[in-house]
Amino acid sequence: MNAESRLGRQGFWITSVLVWAAFFGLQPLLAGWPTLGLAWAAAALLVLVVLMRARLLDRGLSPWWLLALAVPVLGALWLFWELACRQAHDAGVPRR
């Protein structure tokens, strides 16, 4: 995913659900190998952070807003609202 690609609300939802399904689907199989399970969790987290970054850019916000997750409940709720529920300001207008 490069700086020119767009990630709309639908793409964000579909990709996020697929990542979570793959994570929870493979997690029981990796229960016997804690190191491999930890690597799998780190890979899933990295993919989700990249998705959130792309969605924030699509919304016209800085990726630094990911630091809102440091605020225990309100930060996560606000980020969920911005990423998953709101449409882009310039929806339908392609970037140049």
Side-chain angles (χ1 to χ4, degrees):
M1 188 171 292
N2 58 25
E4 294 298 317
S5 64
R6 303 213 31 135
L7 183 62
R9 186 173 49 190
Q10 180 182 7
F12 177 78
W13 272 103
I14 291 170
T15 311
S16 296
V17 167
L18 289 175
V19 169
W20 283 109
F23 174 73
F24 284 114
L26 288 177
Q27 197 64 25
L29 299 173
L30 300 174
W33 297 291
T35 305
L36 195 56
L38 185 61
W40 176 245
L45 180 64
L46 179 66
V47 170
L48 290 171
V49 167
V50 169
L51 281 172
M52 289 188 288
R53 178 195 173 276
R55 182 68 179 132
L56 282 170
L57 289 173
D58 188 53
R59 290 269 309 120
L61 298 170
S62 169
W64 286 102
W65 280 106
L66 286 173
L67 293 176
L69 291 172
V71 179
V73 175
L74 293 178
L77 289 174
W78 176 84
L79 200 58
F80 173 78
W81 172 255
E82 283 293 328
L83 299 178
C85 299
R86 296 191 64 190
Q87 189 64 276
H89 295 295
D90 58 347
V93 179
R95 283 190 186 161
R96 294 182 206 169

